[in-house]
Amino acid sequence: MLCARLTNARFVTMDPDHPVAHDLGIWRGRIVGLDEVVTSLPAREVIDLQGATVLPGFIDAHVHLPWTGFKQITPSVAGRTRVDDVLAVVERAVTRTNAPGAWVSIAGYDQRALGRHLTAAELDRVSHGHKVFMLHESGHGCVVNSAVLDLLPAGLPHEDGFLAEGAMGAARALRLPYSQEELAEAIGRAARTCLAEGVTACAEAGIGGTLFGHSPVELGAYQLAREKGLLPLRVQLMVSADRLGPVAAHRSDGIPRALDLGLRTGFGDDWLSVGALKVYTDGGMMARTAALSSPYQGLDHAGQLQDDPEALTDLIVDGHLAGWQLAVHAIGDRAADVALDALERAQRLRPRPEARHRIEHAGLIRPDQLPRFARLGVSAVVQPNFLRHYGDDYAAIMGEERAPWLYRGRGFLDHGITLVGSSDRPVADGSPLRAVQFMVERASTSGRVIGPQEGITVDEALRAYTVAGAFACHWEDSAGSLTPGKRADLVVLGDDPRRVDTARIGDIEVVATYVEGRESEKHAP
């Protein structure tokens, strides 16, 4: 007997052997058959979906769950365009903090809205002896007040209180880590938001590291979240590469650096597993720290690498030799050069064509770099909603020649490169449907079309959030399509993205989300 049969729906399976179905059978959390194979079978529950469209659950291959969860309950200055208004938010947050000299966190900071960066001196006027840490929306910088600057090593580079990349990491390190209980609650909040948007599985993009880590025992927080019933979707954890340490492994293993006990990609189960090793090569475009091969338009610099190229190359090569899948953060084209050079060297030293290394973001990729992606078998894990929200700004700072190279679609696919969709939430909107809309029409929220030649079809965009996401996470045997034998993770939509006007795709209602054959409780994002 089936556990459930879903009927009266248009199942868009993403499986070329059976592309569309009207019935789907579920047994013990798995899909057991489609259409006539299950139509006459008895079922404990028959669910009439009343003509809805059903897709495989969306896979978001690059998210930050704890950051998302904490941001949801942190005072924010997002949307403020006047310095005085930003400072008023900070002062209100400070006055609600009772402990003298305590840390006060502020979210939503973006200097572009103000026309310049805030300064430590301005924060000093409203901090009343507290330590203020205002995180940049990109996650690649922060503004702090003098109470924080006084605790940092002498000579640490900053711009009147704005600290970027490694300098920001030094400020973060001054604070006590979050507890596993706090982290588990934040993970749960973010996971429920993902479910409301049809996401049934995701890859957490870097735990335990200097830039985005929240605790040296962060992996345990995900285990705790699962034990407490706070993890309603499947999560794969990328480990920050700065957690690797020298090991005295057997010479024949060829492993110069590793996590304790040799833990690497693949450990875990269907619900919680260890995925790729996350390596940061540069910063972000919002903070103007993405590493470019020529300067930003109108600025006198070209961003920055996280370390010298030799050190980054050694880290990438060592991760490859230790058996990891690599997820290399590279937004600018100069950073992509470093990543591709290192991956090429790694594959020469120890060929691992099955590794499925990934370039995270691939924000600005020159035409000459596309064939290198293809030769190396590297996936491009992009965030279409970056351009949807920030595209006008990104196009302006890249200039007319480079703007069409931003967050490519068609260029990757035409070269045979696996194109993977993701959000990088909370940096940008997490909705897969709104991302799909952008991938097709390439229009920012203002209506500006950016690189129209990079537009792809609706089917190709949906594939980026289903089949390709599963491939990038080594989940293709259990997720990504509505195929018998795979997990019954699916999303029920109020309309078919392939049949509505492109401009309406992002507004399609997510009616329900099923994980392991069970409908998840609906939560508004």
Side-chain angles (χ1 to χ4, degrees):
M1 176 180 286
L2 298 173
C3 295
R5 178 164 57 85
L6 309 185
T7 188
N8 188 21
R10 182 185 298 112
F11 293 91
V12 181
T13 69
M14 306 306 292
D15 181 347
D17 292 334
H18 196 146
V20 181
H22 52 76
D23 276 41
L24 180 145
I26 299 170
W27 185 71
R28 292 190 176 181
R30 296 271 171 170
I31 299 167
V32 294
L34 301 168
D35 292 343
E36 287 71 25
V37 173
V38 298
T39 304
S40 60
L41 295 178
R44 293 194 188 100
E45 185 179 20
V46 177
I47 301 170
D48 185 345
L49 293 177
Q50 301 179 352
T53 296
V54 182
L55 284 163
F58 296 127
I59 296 170
D60 191 333
H62 186 120
V63 302
H64 299 278
L65 294 178
W67 180 10
T68 299
F70 285 127
K71 186 176 180 179
Q72 289 172 343
I73 59 170
T74 299
S76 176
V77 297
R80 270 70 173 188
T81 57
R82 296 176 62 249
V83 169
D84 286 347
D85 292 341
V86 169
L87 294 177
V89 173
V90 176
E91 188 159 30
R92 283 196 297 273
V94 165
T95 57
R96 290 197 296 267
T97 305
N98 297 322
W103 286 88
V104 176
S105 295
I106 304 292
Y109 173 68
D110 188 344
Q111 86 286 355
R112 297 172 305 172
L114 301 175
R116 65 170 176 85
H117 278 299
L118 283 177
T119 68
E122 287 170 327
L123 289 178
D124 290 344
R125 298 204 306 264
V126 295
S127 53
H128 305 295
H130 290 74
K131 304 178 190 73
V132 177
F133 183 96
M134 183 178 290
L135 183 63
H136 194 274
E137 278 284 73
S138 68
H140 288 273
C142 64
V143 177
V144 299
N145 64 346
S146 297
V148 178
L149 292 178
D150 291 344
L151 300 174
L152 292 168
L156 191 77
H158 68 89
E159 181 184 331
D160 293 330
F162 178 73
L163 300 101
E165 308 302 341
M168 178 198 69
R172 287 175 63 110
L174 295 171
R175 308 181 65 171
L176 286 173
Y178 288 100
S179 72
Q180 289 192 348
E181 288 280 354
E182 290 173 303
L183 281 164
E185 294 289 338
I187 290 163
R189 279 192 297 274
R192 292 190 294 273
T193 301
C194 291
L195 282 176
E197 294 177 337
V199 175
T200 57
C202 64
E204 170 64 50
I207 64 169
T210 302
L211 282 182
F212 291 98
H214 296 86
S215 166
V217 290
E218 194 166 356
L219 191 150
Y222 290 85
Q223 291 179 283
L224 180 63
R226 183 180 176 188
E227 291 162 2
K228 296 181 69 172
L230 298 174
L231 197 64
L233 46 68
R234 307 178 195 280
V235 179
Q236 187 177 86
L237 304 172
M238 300 184 206
V239 178
S240 290
D242 52 14
R243 304 305 301 176
L244 296 185
V247 292
H250 193 281
R251 183 180 302 173
S252 66
D253 292 336
I255 299 176
R257 280 189 271 186
L259 290 187
D260 289 345
L261 302 179
L263 190 72
R264 60 174 172 82
T265 302
F267 182 82
D269 59 21
D270 272 356
W271 280 96
L272 185 62
S273 60
V274 174
L277 186 73
K278 179 73 176 292
V279 182
Y280 294 92
T281 63
D282 69 345
M285 285 188 187
M286 293 167 64
R288 311 312 196 223
T289 54
L292 311 180
S293 55
S294 57
Y296 289 90
Q297 189 83 7
L299 300 177
D300 60 358
H301 69 87
Q304 64 191 78
L305 295 171
Q306 293 285 357
D307 206 336
D308 65 75
E310 294 77 14
L312 293 171
T313 296
D314 288 345
L315 186 57
I316 290 169
V317 170
D318 285 355
H320 173 89
L321 294 177
W324 287 90
Q325 178 190 23
L326 295 169
V328 185
H329 169 114
I331 292 184
D333 61 327
R334 183 184 175 209
D337 280 333
V338 171
L340 293 168
D341 288 347
L343 291 172
E344 194 168 50
R345 178 181 166 192
Q347 292 284 17
R348 281 199 309 268
L349 289 172
R350 181 177 295 172
R352 287 177 53 218
E354 78 291 346
R356 300 189 194 176
H357 296 321
R358 311 157 37 146
I359 300 288
E360 307 298 302
H361 307 297
L364 185 75
I365 301 300
R366 302 187 310 269
D368 64 285
Q369 293 173 317
L370 292 170
R372 298 192 67 195
F373 269 76
R375 284 197 304 272
L376 287 166
V378 174
S379 298
V381 183
V382 301
Q383 297 76 40
N385 278 328
F386 276 14
L387 286 193
R388 184 171 176 271
H389 288 283
Y390 312 128
D392 294 0
D393 173 62
Y394 284 17
I397 61 174
M398 289 302 107
E400 186 176 347
E401 179 186 7
R402 293 181 294 183
W405 307 343
L406 287 164
Y407 293 91
R408 291 176 177 271
R410 176 57 54 201
F412 288 128
L413 292 179
D414 284 353
H415 282 80
I417 299 160
T418 300
L419 176 66
V420 183
S422 69
S423 68
D424 202 18
R425 75 168 77 225
V427 179
D429 179 1
S431 165
L433 287 171
R434 287 190 283 272
V436 165
Q437 178 177 324
F438 176 84
M439 294 174 88
V440 178
E441 64 183 9
R442 300 285 298 186
S444 71
T445 52
S446 75
R448 178 174 181 170
V449 177
I450 303 162
Q453 69 275 21
E454 290 295 328
I456 62 177
T457 68
V458 174
D459 280 332
E460 289 168 333
L462 292 172
R463 183 179 178 86
Y465 277 89
T466 54
V467 176
F471 178 84
C473 296
H474 292 266
W475 282 334
E476 71 274 13
D477 290 337
S478 59
S481 65
L482 302 181
T483 301
K486 293 191 177 184
R487 302 187 301 236
D489 296 351
L490 45 92
V491 56
V492 181
L493 302 177
D495 215 328
D496 188 340
R498 306 168 310 156
R499 299 189 175 193
V500 302
D501 290 338
T502 302
R504 288 185 51 217
I505 293 174
D507 295 324
I508 293 174
E509 180 188 4
V510 175
V511 177
T513 306
Y514 285 74
V515 179
E516 210 165 66
R518 292 188 294 272
E519 183 177 356
S520 300
E521 184 179 350
K522 188 73 177 287
H523 291 266

